[in-house]
Amino acid sequence: MWKPPERIKYQTTVARWPTEEEAVGSRLYSPLSSPNLSLEQRTWVPAMVPWRASEEGDVTQDVIDWYARFAEGMPGAIVVEATGIRDIPSGPLLRISDERYVAGLRRLTDAVREASGGRTRLLIQLIDFLTIRRRPQPEAFFNRFLDVTATHRQRLGMKQQDEQAVRQRLLSLSDSELEDVLSPRELESLRQGYRERVTDTHLPTVSTLPTTLPVLFAQAARRAQAAGFDGVELHYAHAYTMASFLSATNTRSDGYGGSREHRVRLPLEVYEAVRAEVGEDYAVGCRFLSDEIIATGSDVDDACFFAKEFALAGMDFLSLSRGGKFDDAKQPKVGWAAYPYTGQSGYECMPAYLSDERGPWGRNSEPVSQIRAAVHSAGMSTPIISTGGIHSFDQAEALLAEGKADVVGFARQALADPDWFQKVRLGRGNEVLLCRYSNYCEGLDQKHKQVTCELWDRAALDSPDAILATDGKRRLTAPRWSP
Ligand SMILES: Cc1cc2nc3c(=O)[nH]c(=O)nc-3n(C[C@H](O)[C@H](O)[C@H](O)COP(=O)(O)O)c2cc1C
Ligand code: SF4
């Protein structure tokens, strides 16, 4: 992953934890009563893909164990990982793309309800993504994938030669010579792997997204409701289709790109379709970016505009992330796909302990505060969830006290210690396992390996409660803690 050039090393420490009395009386542990979203406390575990589903995208026992373990900590809400809405092979990505997934998802909602004693609300994140391919071997790219065009022939001075000769010639060229022959998109496909964009409207599947996506999201939301989830989170963040519609890089000319009003159109139409399907009294919100952190991307002003539109449309919550784009992703190794958390935008999404003078904590807090203020200035009070480097009670409480957020998201800190919420509420914060912001977990995510936390393996691996990963060296869930 990209690291800030300053490379200042930070260590997570917490100066003080609240007593039980202080915690119980705090804003963080006060309920949120919003029409479709009532939380017992204002804590939230945002979506995190753990790579536990089957190859067909089914809920497995490992998926159930993963979420039940989070539920034992009894946060206000847990959002189940990005879950695919298209019925296409997607590897071990959890799916909700057909009725056949509902029974497994029902087992998951039952398990979470039981593990939290019904105190934690459970939502599911719905995702759509476009085609992305692995970085090819140059031989495969030039011999099979590349369409040889008149432009190539002209640039090579090979108008008459047969196609195979053109391909051989291309294969023999150096990197810099190729820059004079291939188009920027062809070069990208060679160097990073082919990646579809929402602006590829010459492809029928892409030009028709405004018709296909509302239906796919709505059907998935109906299944989530049938499976017993308390709500759905529409994934409008990071590197995926809906975020690409919101992006300032979206130049579609069919009324769904260009101006902010046009870029937000499909995300609003998807929301309307979902709402029509699940009814007025079901929690529907979205996750989107406070800033894309890429050159020519959307910034916090755009995010304020989108937030007001989503709030006015009737969304029940807005959860803000940051960065995580393909646009600045590092070049993958041959045979690997680009990963959107390897560039600077990826760093801003999941900042790590080697950082700049601002450090890895709370980098999203100020932009989110501005977005919340914009929503309030439009006369709305839609709950805003702020996430990013939050690990201490004081940090979280200050966000609420200063009106910078309504609910506080803990992603990696909840992964490191799912009992954070219980320990702090009981005045036992000094027993919290603090996240180091090492991004060991994120490295596993990148390789689509079972995600675990490096801290868990400090407890004995042979204890009776330890379920081990397929490599036999890591715990699959956090060690048990009882109050
Ligand atoms: C292993 C891992 C998987 C993640 N998967 C998702 C995901 O499926 N959807 C999503 O919106 N964010 C995902 N994220 C981002 C987190 O939800 C969160 O925004 C990010 O980690 C920053 O918050 P933190 O500093 O509290 O960890 C993931 C993060 C990690 C570490
Ligand atoms: S591996 Fe554990 S300590 Fe490291 S960033 Fe992930 S959750 Fe935090």
Side-chain angles (χ1 to χ4, degrees), residues 46-50 80-82 125 233 235 237-238 240 287 320-322 339 341 348-351 360 387-390 409-413 415 437 439 441-442 445 451:
M48 280 182 281
V49 170
V80 166
E81 68 208 73
Q125 188 178 58
E233 179 176 274
H235 199 344
H238 307 151
Y240 311 109
R287 192 163 211 221
L320 276 307
S321 180
R322 183 173 176 77
Y339 179 68
Y341 307 98
E348 287 291 337
C349 184
M350 291 178 239
T387 302
I390 298 167
F410 301 73
R412 286 167 295 172
Q413 179 54 65
L415 181 62
Y437 297 96
N439 278 347
C441 51
E442 180 263 341
D445 175 42
V451 170

mmCIF file of all heavy atoms in Angstrom, residues 46-50 80-82 125 233 235 237-238 240 287 320-322 339 341 348-351 360 387-390 409-413 415 437 439 441-442 445 451, ligand 1:
data_model
loop_
_atom_site.group_PDB
_atom_site.id
_atom_site.type_symbol
_atom_site.label_atom_id
_atom_site.label_comp_id
_atom_site.label_asym_id
_atom_site.label_seq_id
_atom_site.Cartn_x
_atom_site.Cartn_y
_atom_site.Cartn_z
ATOM 1 N N PRO A 46 -18.887 -1.010 10.588
ATOM 2 C CA PRO A 46 -19.120 -0.904 9.142
ATOM 3 C C PRO A 46 -18.783 -2.210 8.425
ATOM 4 O O PRO A 46 -18.134 -3.093 8.987
ATOM 5 C CB PRO A 46 -18.141 0.199 8.700
ATOM 6 C CG PRO A 46 -17.603 0.795 9.935
ATOM 7 C CD PRO A 46 -17.745 -0.210 11.026
ATOM 8 N N ALA A 47 -19.209 -2.273 7.169
ATOM 9 C CA ALA A 47 -18.983 -3.482 6.373
ATOM 10 C C ALA A 47 -17.492 -3.805 6.255
ATOM 11 O O ALA A 47 -16.675 -2.911 6.032
ATOM 12 C CB ALA A 47 -19.573 -3.274 4.972
ATOM 13 N N MET A 48 -17.167 -5.080 6.435
ATOM 14 C CA MET A 48 -15.787 -5.562 6.212
ATOM 15 C C MET A 48 -15.874 -6.967 5.613
ATOM 16 O O MET A 48 -16.449 -7.869 6.228
ATOM 17 C CB MET A 48 -15.017 -5.622 7.528
ATOM 18 C CG MET A 48 -14.485 -4.288 7.980
ATOM 19 S SD MET A 48 -13.531 -4.431 9.500
ATOM 20 C CE MET A 48 -14.828 -4.541 10.717
ATOM 21 N N VAL A 49 -15.303 -7.133 4.446
ATOM 22 C CA VAL A 49 -15.324 -8.454 3.787
ATOM 23 C C VAL A 49 -14.322 -9.368 4.475
ATOM 24 O O VAL A 49 -13.131 -9.057 4.503
ATOM 25 C CB VAL A 49 -14.951 -8.314 2.296
ATOM 26 C CG1 VAL A 49 -14.738 -9.671 1.659
ATOM 27 C CG2 VAL A 49 -16.029 -7.555 1.539
ATOM 28 N N PRO A 50 -14.769 -10.511 5.020
ATOM 29 C CA PRO A 50 -13.808 -11.424 5.679
ATOM 30 C C PRO A 50 -13.404 -12.618 4.822
ATOM 31 O O PRO A 50 -12.631 -13.449 5.258
ATOM 32 C CB PRO A 50 -14.600 -11.890 6.899
ATOM 33 C CG PRO A 50 -16.021 -11.905 6.425
ATOM 34 C CD PRO A 50 -16.160 -10.879 5.317
ATOM 35 N N VAL A 80 -23.273 -6.150 7.467
ATOM 36 C CA VAL A 80 -22.655 -7.313 6.816
ATOM 37 C C VAL A 80 -21.946 -6.839 5.544
ATOM 38 O O VAL A 80 -22.413 -5.939 4.848
ATOM 39 C CB VAL A 80 -23.733 -8.387 6.522
ATOM 40 C CG1 VAL A 80 -23.227 -9.447 5.548
ATOM 41 C CG2 VAL A 80 -24.172 -9.030 7.831
ATOM 42 N N GLU A 81 -20.814 -7.443 5.313
ATOM 43 C CA GLU A 81 -19.921 -7.144 4.180
ATOM 44 C C GLU A 81 -20.618 -6.875 2.839
ATOM 45 O O GLU A 81 -21.744 -7.349 2.597
ATOM 46 C CB GLU A 81 -19.016 -8.349 3.978
ATOM 47 C CG GLU A 81 -19.763 -9.585 3.473
ATOM 48 C CD GLU A 81 -19.110 -10.881 3.887
ATOM 49 O OE1 GLU A 81 -19.186 -11.243 5.074
ATOM 50 O OE2 GLU A 81 -18.516 -11.538 3.016
ATOM 51 N N ALA A 82 -19.898 -6.222 1.940
ATOM 52 C CA ALA A 82 -20.363 -5.995 0.568
ATOM 53 C C ALA A 82 -20.835 -7.324 -0.025
ATOM 54 O O ALA A 82 -20.075 -8.285 -0.104
ATOM 55 C CB ALA A 82 -19.221 -5.434 -0.264
ATOM 56 N N GLN A 125 -24.774 -4.783 3.325
ATOM 57 C CA GLN A 125 -24.333 -3.846 2.282
ATOM 58 C C GLN A 125 -24.522 -4.499 0.909
ATOM 59 O O GLN A 125 -24.042 -5.609 0.676
ATOM 60 C CB GLN A 125 -22.861 -3.492 2.509
ATOM 61 C CG GLN A 125 -22.380 -2.379 1.599
ATOM 62 C CD GLN A 125 -20.934 -1.997 1.872
ATOM 63 O OE1 GLN A 125 -20.044 -2.846 1.794
ATOM 64 N NE2 GLN A 125 -20.694 -0.742 2.159
ATOM 65 N N GLU A 233 -27.775 -1.295 3.315
ATOM 66 C CA GLU A 233 -26.882 -0.176 3.015
ATOM 67 C C GLU A 233 -26.485 -0.298 1.548
ATOM 68 O O GLU A 233 -25.866 -1.291 1.147
ATOM 69 C CB GLU A 233 -25.641 -0.239 3.908
ATOM 70 C CG GLU A 233 -24.663 0.886 3.614
ATOM 71 C CD GLU A 233 -23.473 0.877 4.565
ATOM 72 O OE1 GLU A 233 -23.578 1.459 5.663
ATOM 73 O OE2 GLU A 233 -22.435 0.263 4.219
ATOM 74 N N HIS A 235 -24.232 0.298 -1.439
ATOM 75 C CA HIS A 235 -22.789 0.589 -1.507
ATOM 76 C C HIS A 235 -22.543 1.580 -2.640
ATOM 77 O O HIS A 235 -22.483 1.198 -3.811
ATOM 78 C CB HIS A 235 -22.016 -0.708 -1.738
ATOM 79 C CG HIS A 235 -20.553 -0.620 -1.391
ATOM 80 N ND1 HIS A 235 -19.892 0.580 -1.224
ATOM 81 C CD2 HIS A 235 -19.618 -1.589 -1.159
ATOM 82 C CE1 HIS A 235 -18.619 0.332 -0.926
ATOM 83 N NE2 HIS A 235 -18.426 -0.969 -0.869
ATOM 84 N N ALA A 237 -19.844 3.620 -2.364
ATOM 85 C CA ALA A 237 -18.505 4.104 -2.003
ATOM 86 C C ALA A 237 -17.415 3.348 -2.759
ATOM 87 O O ALA A 237 -17.676 2.356 -3.443
ATOM 88 C CB ALA A 237 -18.297 3.951 -0.497
ATOM 89 N N HIS A 238 -16.203 3.835 -2.616
ATOM 90 C CA HIS A 238 -14.978 3.190 -3.103
ATOM 91 C C HIS A 238 -14.959 3.047 -4.625
ATOM 92 O O HIS A 238 -15.305 3.995 -5.319
ATOM 93 C CB HIS A 238 -14.752 1.848 -2.367
ATOM 94 C CG HIS A 238 -14.776 2.025 -0.876
ATOM 95 N ND1 HIS A 238 -15.174 1.063 -0.003
ATOM 96 C CD2 HIS A 238 -14.487 3.115 -0.113
ATOM 97 C CE1 HIS A 238 -15.124 1.523 1.241
ATOM 98 N NE2 HIS A 238 -14.696 2.773 1.194
ATOM 99 N N TYR A 240 -16.568 1.025 -6.826
ATOM 100 C CA TYR A 240 -17.580 0.173 -7.442
ATOM 101 C C TYR A 240 -18.587 0.992 -8.263
ATOM 102 O O TYR A 240 -18.526 2.212 -8.301
ATOM 103 C CB TYR A 240 -18.191 -0.715 -6.351
ATOM 104 C CG TYR A 240 -17.067 -1.352 -5.571
ATOM 105 C CD1 TYR A 240 -16.779 -0.972 -4.264
ATOM 106 C CD2 TYR A 240 -16.186 -2.235 -6.206
ATOM 107 C CE1 TYR A 240 -15.677 -1.491 -3.589
ATOM 108 C CE2 TYR A 240 -15.087 -2.763 -5.546
ATOM 109 C CZ TYR A 240 -14.830 -2.389 -4.239
ATOM 110 O OH TYR A 240 -13.729 -2.886 -3.601
ATOM 111 N N ARG A 287 -23.723 4.071 1.766
ATOM 112 C CA ARG A 287 -22.357 4.436 2.140
ATOM 113 C C ARG A 287 -21.743 5.123 0.939
ATOM 114 O O ARG A 287 -21.790 4.597 -0.183
ATOM 115 C CB ARG A 287 -21.560 3.194 2.512
ATOM 116 C CG ARG A 287 -20.242 3.551 3.172
ATOM 117 C CD ARG A 287 -19.628 2.394 3.921
ATOM 118 N NE ARG A 287 -18.875 2.908 5.041
ATOM 119 C CZ ARG A 287 -17.689 2.451 5.420
ATOM 120 N NH1 ARG A 287 -17.147 1.427 4.798
ATOM 121 N NH2 ARG A 287 -17.061 2.995 6.439
ATOM 122 N N LEU A 320 -20.281 7.475 5.901
ATOM 123 C CA LEU A 320 -19.242 8.083 5.066
ATOM 124 C C LEU A 320 -17.914 7.347 5.186
ATOM 125 O O LEU A 320 -17.415 7.119 6.292
ATOM 126 C CB LEU A 320 -19.019 9.541 5.482
ATOM 127 C CG LEU A 320 -19.951 10.632 4.909
ATOM 128 C CD1 LEU A 320 -19.995 10.568 3.382
ATOM 129 C CD2 LEU A 320 -21.337 10.547 5.472
ATOM 130 N N SER A 321 -17.378 6.999 4.016
ATOM 131 C CA SER A 321 -16.017 6.475 3.956
ATOM 132 C C SER A 321 -15.206 7.482 3.152
ATOM 133 O O SER A 321 -15.645 8.615 2.923
ATOM 134 C CB SER A 321 -16.026 5.090 3.322
ATOM 135 O OG SER A 321 -14.719 4.566 3.262
ATOM 136 N N ARG A 322 -14.059 7.054 2.648
ATOM 137 C CA ARG A 322 -13.143 7.994 2.009
ATOM 138 C C ARG A 322 -12.183 7.225 1.104
ATOM 139 O O ARG A 322 -11.684 6.165 1.484
ATOM 140 C CB ARG A 322 -12.410 8.612 3.200
ATOM 141 C CG ARG A 322 -11.446 9.668 2.972
ATOM 142 C CD ARG A 322 -11.022 10.179 4.367
ATOM 143 N NE ARG A 322 -9.993 11.154 4.203
ATOM 144 C CZ ARG A 322 -10.241 12.393 3.808
ATOM 145 N NH1 ARG A 322 -11.468 12.784 3.575
ATOM 146 N NH2 ARG A 322 -9.238 13.236 3.650
ATOM 147 N N TYR A 339 -5.993 -3.644 -7.081
ATOM 148 C CA TYR A 339 -6.718 -3.597 -5.802
ATOM 149 C C TYR A 339 -6.853 -2.122 -5.429
ATOM 150 O O TYR A 339 -5.852 -1.390 -5.413
ATOM 151 C CB TYR A 339 -5.896 -4.375 -4.775
ATOM 152 C CG TYR A 339 -6.444 -4.439 -3.373
ATOM 153 C CD1 TYR A 339 -7.615 -5.145 -3.084
ATOM 154 C CD2 TYR A 339 -5.762 -3.831 -2.319
ATOM 155 C CE1 TYR A 339 -8.079 -5.227 -1.785
ATOM 156 C CE2 TYR A 339 -6.229 -3.912 -1.021
ATOM 157 C CZ TYR A 339 -7.391 -4.616 -0.758
ATOM 158 O OH TYR A 339 -7.852 -4.700 0.535
ATOM 159 N N TYR A 341 -7.089 -0.347 -2.924
ATOM 160 C CA TYR A 341 -6.634 0.236 -1.653
ATOM 161 C C TYR A 341 -5.112 0.301 -1.593
ATOM 162 O O TYR A 341 -4.529 0.245 -0.517
ATOM 163 C CB TYR A 341 -7.208 -0.568 -0.469
ATOM 164 C CG TYR A 341 -8.713 -0.698 -0.572
ATOM 165 C CD1 TYR A 341 -9.303 -1.839 -1.101
ATOM 166 C CD2 TYR A 341 -9.534 0.365 -0.203
ATOM 167 C CE1 TYR A 341 -10.673 -1.934 -1.244
ATOM 168 C CE2 TYR A 341 -10.911 0.282 -0.338
ATOM 169 C CZ TYR A 341 -11.465 -0.868 -0.859
ATOM 170 O OH TYR A 341 -12.829 -0.945 -1.010
ATOM 171 N N GLU A 348 -6.038 6.722 2.369
ATOM 172 C CA GLU A 348 -7.011 7.561 3.079
ATOM 173 C C GLU A 348 -8.225 6.744 3.540
ATOM 174 O O GLU A 348 -8.883 7.109 4.501
ATOM 175 C CB GLU A 348 -7.462 8.717 2.194
ATOM 176 C CG GLU A 348 -6.402 9.793 2.014
ATOM 177 C CD GLU A 348 -6.126 10.591 3.289
ATOM 178 O OE1 GLU A 348 -6.986 10.658 4.181
ATOM 179 O OE2 GLU A 348 -5.010 11.140 3.375
ATOM 180 N N CYS A 349 -8.488 5.663 2.838
ATOM 181 C CA CYS A 349 -9.613 4.807 3.236
ATOM 182 C C CYS A 349 -9.266 4.025 4.504
ATOM 183 O O CYS A 349 -10.067 3.918 5.421
ATOM 184 C CB CYS A 349 -9.931 3.844 2.095
ATOM 185 S SG CYS A 349 -11.360 2.825 2.389
ATOM 186 N N MET A 350 -8.046 3.482 4.529
ATOM 187 C CA MET A 350 -7.605 2.692 5.683
ATOM 188 C C MET A 350 -6.211 3.139 6.101
ATOM 189 O O MET A 350 -5.212 2.443 5.851
ATOM 190 C CB MET A 350 -7.575 1.210 5.316
ATOM 191 C CG MET A 350 -8.942 0.627 5.094
ATOM 192 S SD MET A 350 -8.816 -1.086 4.611
ATOM 193 C CE MET A 350 -9.631 -1.080 3.039
ATOM 194 N N PRO A 351 -6.107 4.316 6.711
ATOM 195 C CA PRO A 351 -4.778 4.835 7.057
ATOM 196 C C PRO A 351 -4.052 3.902 8.028
ATOM 197 O O PRO A 351 -4.676 3.294 8.895
ATOM 198 C CB PRO A 351 -5.085 6.173 7.729
ATOM 199 C CG PRO A 351 -6.504 6.475 7.438
ATOM 200 C CD PRO A 351 -7.191 5.184 7.172
ATOM 201 N N PRO A 360 -2.737 8.549 11.657
ATOM 202 C CA PRO A 360 -3.725 7.674 11.026
ATOM 203 C C PRO A 360 -5.140 7.785 11.604
ATOM 204 O O PRO A 360 -6.040 7.102 11.121
ATOM 205 C CB PRO A 360 -3.160 6.274 11.307
ATOM 206 C CG PRO A 360 -2.392 6.426 12.574
ATOM 207 C CD PRO A 360 -1.866 7.834 12.608
ATOM 208 N N THR A 387 -16.712 7.218 10.210
ATOM 209 C CA THR A 387 -15.777 6.099 10.427
ATOM 210 C C THR A 387 -14.393 6.514 9.961
ATOM 211 O O THR A 387 -14.272 7.237 8.968
ATOM 212 C CB THR A 387 -16.214 4.872 9.591
ATOM 213 O OG1 THR A 387 -17.535 4.504 9.962
ATOM 214 C CG2 THR A 387 -15.290 3.679 9.807
ATOM 215 N N GLY A 388 -13.385 6.019 10.615
ATOM 216 C CA GLY A 388 -12.014 6.232 10.147
ATOM 217 C C GLY A 388 -11.065 6.451 11.303
ATOM 218 O O GLY A 388 -11.021 7.537 11.879
ATOM 219 N N GLY A 389 -10.357 5.394 11.671
ATOM 220 C CA GLY A 389 -9.309 5.504 12.684
ATOM 221 C C GLY A 389 -9.816 5.789 14.090
ATOM 222 O O GLY A 389 -9.101 6.378 14.899
ATOM 223 N N ILE A 390 -11.035 5.366 14.385
ATOM 224 C CA ILE A 390 -11.569 5.656 15.735
ATOM 225 C C ILE A 390 -11.400 4.421 16.622
ATOM 226 O O ILE A 390 -11.789 3.314 16.247
ATOM 227 C CB ILE A 390 -13.033 6.125 15.634
ATOM 228 C CG1 ILE A 390 -13.022 7.427 14.824
ATOM 229 C CG2 ILE A 390 -13.631 6.348 17.029
ATOM 230 C CD1 ILE A 390 -14.327 7.884 14.346
ATOM 231 N N GLY A 409 -18.545 4.865 13.710
ATOM 232 C CA GLY A 409 -18.155 3.583 13.122
ATOM 233 C C GLY A 409 -16.770 3.160 13.582
ATOM 234 O O GLY A 409 -15.838 3.962 13.592
ATOM 235 N N PHE A 410 -16.659 1.889 13.949
ATOM 236 C CA PHE A 410 -15.360 1.300 14.332
ATOM 237 C C PHE A 410 -15.174 0.082 13.444
ATOM 238 O O PHE A 410 -15.827 -0.928 13.665
ATOM 239 C CB PHE A 410 -15.377 0.808 15.777
ATOM 240 C CG PHE A 410 -15.682 1.837 16.832
ATOM 241 C CD1 PHE A 410 -16.966 2.335 17.009
ATOM 242 C CD2 PHE A 410 -14.679 2.271 17.683
ATOM 243 C CE1 PHE A 410 -17.248 3.263 17.994
ATOM 244 C CE2 PHE A 410 -14.956 3.205 18.681
ATOM 245 C CZ PHE A 410 -16.241 3.708 18.838
ATOM 246 N N ALA A 411 -14.314 0.157 12.452
ATOM 247 C CA ALA A 411 -14.106 -1.011 11.585
ATOM 248 C C ALA A 411 -12.938 -1.830 12.132
ATOM 249 O O ALA A 411 -13.145 -2.816 12.856
ATOM 250 C CB ALA A 411 -13.887 -0.576 10.147
ATOM 251 N N ARG A 412 -11.707 -1.432 11.850
ATOM 252 C CA ARG A 412 -10.579 -2.265 12.285
ATOM 253 C C ARG A 412 -10.502 -2.394 13.808
ATOM 254 O O ARG A 412 -10.099 -3.441 14.317
ATOM 255 C CB ARG A 412 -9.279 -1.711 11.707
ATOM 256 C CG ARG A 412 -9.155 -2.016 10.213
ATOM 257 C CD ARG A 412 -8.052 -1.220 9.570
ATOM 258 N NE ARG A 412 -8.319 0.200 9.596
ATOM 259 C CZ ARG A 412 -7.461 1.148 9.243
ATOM 260 N NH1 ARG A 412 -6.258 0.810 8.831
ATOM 261 N NH2 ARG A 412 -7.801 2.425 9.279
ATOM 262 N N GLN A 413 -10.928 -1.353 14.557
ATOM 263 C CA GLN A 413 -10.887 -1.496 16.015
ATOM 264 C C GLN A 413 -11.854 -2.590 16.481
ATOM 265 O O GLN A 413 -11.545 -3.338 17.404
ATOM 266 C CB GLN A 413 -11.193 -0.165 16.708
ATOM 267 C CG GLN A 413 -11.180 -0.249 18.229
ATOM 268 C CD GLN A 413 -9.894 -0.842 18.775
ATOM 269 O OE1 GLN A 413 -8.823 -0.276 18.644
ATOM 270 N NE2 GLN A 413 -9.969 -2.025 19.401
ATOM 271 N N LEU A 415 -12.654 -5.141 14.653
ATOM 272 C CA LEU A 415 -12.048 -6.395 14.201
ATOM 273 C C LEU A 415 -11.005 -6.845 15.236
ATOM 274 O O LEU A 415 -10.992 -7.999 15.670
ATOM 275 C CB LEU A 415 -11.389 -6.149 12.844
ATOM 276 C CG LEU A 415 -10.699 -7.272 12.111
ATOM 277 C CD1 LEU A 415 -11.703 -8.361 11.781
ATOM 278 C CD2 LEU A 415 -10.098 -6.753 10.810
ATOM 279 N N TYR A 437 -3.350 -0.498 13.670
ATOM 280 C CA TYR A 437 -3.420 0.096 12.321
ATOM 281 C C TYR A 437 -2.233 -0.381 11.468
ATOM 282 O O TYR A 437 -1.601 0.378 10.752
ATOM 283 C CB TYR A 437 -3.575 1.627 12.395
ATOM 284 C CG TYR A 437 -4.892 1.958 13.073
ATOM 285 C CD1 TYR A 437 -4.949 2.232 14.433
ATOM 286 C CD2 TYR A 437 -6.075 1.869 12.358
ATOM 287 C CE1 TYR A 437 -6.172 2.440 15.067
ATOM 288 C CE2 TYR A 437 -7.303 2.076 12.984
ATOM 289 C CZ TYR A 437 -7.332 2.357 14.334
ATOM 290 O OH TYR A 437 -8.540 2.537 14.948
ATOM 291 N N ASN A 439 -2.654 -2.879 9.255
ATOM 292 C CA ASN A 439 -3.246 -3.318 7.979
ATOM 293 C C ASN A 439 -2.830 -4.723 7.546
ATOM 294 O O ASN A 439 -2.885 -5.064 6.362
ATOM 295 C CB ASN A 439 -2.991 -2.299 6.856
ATOM 296 C CG ASN A 439 -4.001 -1.169 6.923
ATOM 297 O OD1 ASN A 439 -4.994 -1.260 7.628
ATOM 298 N ND2 ASN A 439 -3.739 -0.086 6.227
ATOM 299 N N CYS A 441 -4.694 -7.150 8.327
ATOM 300 C CA CYS A 441 -6.021 -7.650 7.902
ATOM 301 C C CYS A 441 -6.308 -7.254 6.452
ATOM 302 O O CYS A 441 -6.805 -8.058 5.663
ATOM 303 C CB CYS A 441 -7.114 -7.102 8.825
ATOM 304 S SG CYS A 441 -7.052 -5.310 9.052
ATOM 305 N N GLU A 442 -5.968 -6.035 6.114
ATOM 306 C CA GLU A 442 -6.253 -5.522 4.788
ATOM 307 C C GLU A 442 -5.371 -6.239 3.744
ATOM 308 O O GLU A 442 -5.798 -6.483 2.616
ATOM 309 C CB GLU A 442 -6.013 -4.002 4.840
ATOM 310 C CG GLU A 442 -6.248 -3.246 3.593
ATOM 311 C CD GLU A 442 -4.955 -3.027 2.835
ATOM 312 O OE1 GLU A 442 -3.864 -3.145 3.439
ATOM 313 O OE2 GLU A 442 -5.038 -2.768 1.631
ATOM 314 N N ASP A 445 -7.161 -9.302 2.946
ATOM 315 C CA ASP A 445 -8.304 -8.970 2.081
ATOM 316 C C ASP A 445 -7.835 -8.832 0.630
ATOM 317 O O ASP A 445 -8.460 -9.355 -0.295
ATOM 318 C CB ASP A 445 -8.941 -7.660 2.584
ATOM 319 C CG ASP A 445 -10.054 -7.164 1.676
ATOM 320 O OD1 ASP A 445 -10.849 -7.990 1.223
ATOM 321 O OD2 ASP A 445 -10.112 -5.943 1.421
ATOM 322 N N VAL A 451 -9.759 -13.182 6.256
ATOM 323 C CA VAL A 451 -9.268 -12.018 7.017
ATOM 324 C C VAL A 451 -9.248 -12.354 8.500
ATOM 325 O O VAL A 451 -10.210 -12.910 9.040
ATOM 326 C CB VAL A 451 -10.168 -10.789 6.753
ATOM 327 C CG1 VAL A 451 -9.843 -9.652 7.708
ATOM 328 C CG2 VAL A 451 -10.037 -10.333 5.300
HETATM 329 C C1 LIG B 1 -10.667 -6.314 5.829
HETATM 330 C C2 LIG B 1 -11.489 -5.127 5.458
HETATM 331 C C3 LIG B 1 -12.578 -5.288 4.593
HETATM 332 C C4 LIG B 1 -13.375 -4.179 4.247
HETATM 333 N N1 LIG B 1 -14.488 -4.380 3.479
HETATM 334 C C5 LIG B 1 -15.340 -3.326 3.244
HETATM 335 C C6 LIG B 1 -16.592 -3.528 2.595
HETATM 336 O O1 LIG B 1 -16.988 -4.648 2.257
HETATM 337 N N2 LIG B 1 -17.372 -2.445 2.369
HETATM 338 C C7 LIG B 1 -17.012 -1.193 2.782
HETATM 339 O O2 LIG B 1 -17.765 -0.235 2.554
HETATM 340 N N3 LIG B 1 -15.841 -0.980 3.429
HETATM 341 C C8 LIG B 1 -15.022 -2.011 3.682
HETATM 342 N N4 LIG B 1 -13.868 -1.806 4.418
HETATM 343 C C9 LIG B 1 -13.560 -0.436 4.916
HETATM 344 C C10 LIG B 1 -14.060 -0.262 6.360
HETATM 345 O O3 LIG B 1 -15.462 -0.405 6.453
HETATM 346 C C11 LIG B 1 -13.662 1.124 6.937
HETATM 347 O O4 LIG B 1 -14.270 2.130 6.171
HETATM 348 C C12 LIG B 1 -12.160 1.347 6.955
HETATM 349 O O5 LIG B 1 -11.497 0.223 7.491
HETATM 350 C C13 LIG B 1 -11.790 2.587 7.790
HETATM 351 O O6 LIG B 1 -12.315 2.486 9.091
HETATM 352 P P1 LIG B 1 -11.396 2.079 10.367
HETATM 353 O O7 LIG B 1 -10.273 3.075 10.424
HETATM 354 O O8 LIG B 1 -12.329 2.163 11.541
HETATM 355 O O9 LIG B 1 -10.889 0.711 10.115
HETATM 356 C C14 LIG B 1 -13.056 -2.893 4.763
HETATM 357 C C15 LIG B 1 -11.971 -2.746 5.640
HETATM 358 C C16 LIG B 1 -11.197 -3.843 5.992
HETATM 359 C C17 LIG B 1 -10.051 -3.656 6.953
#
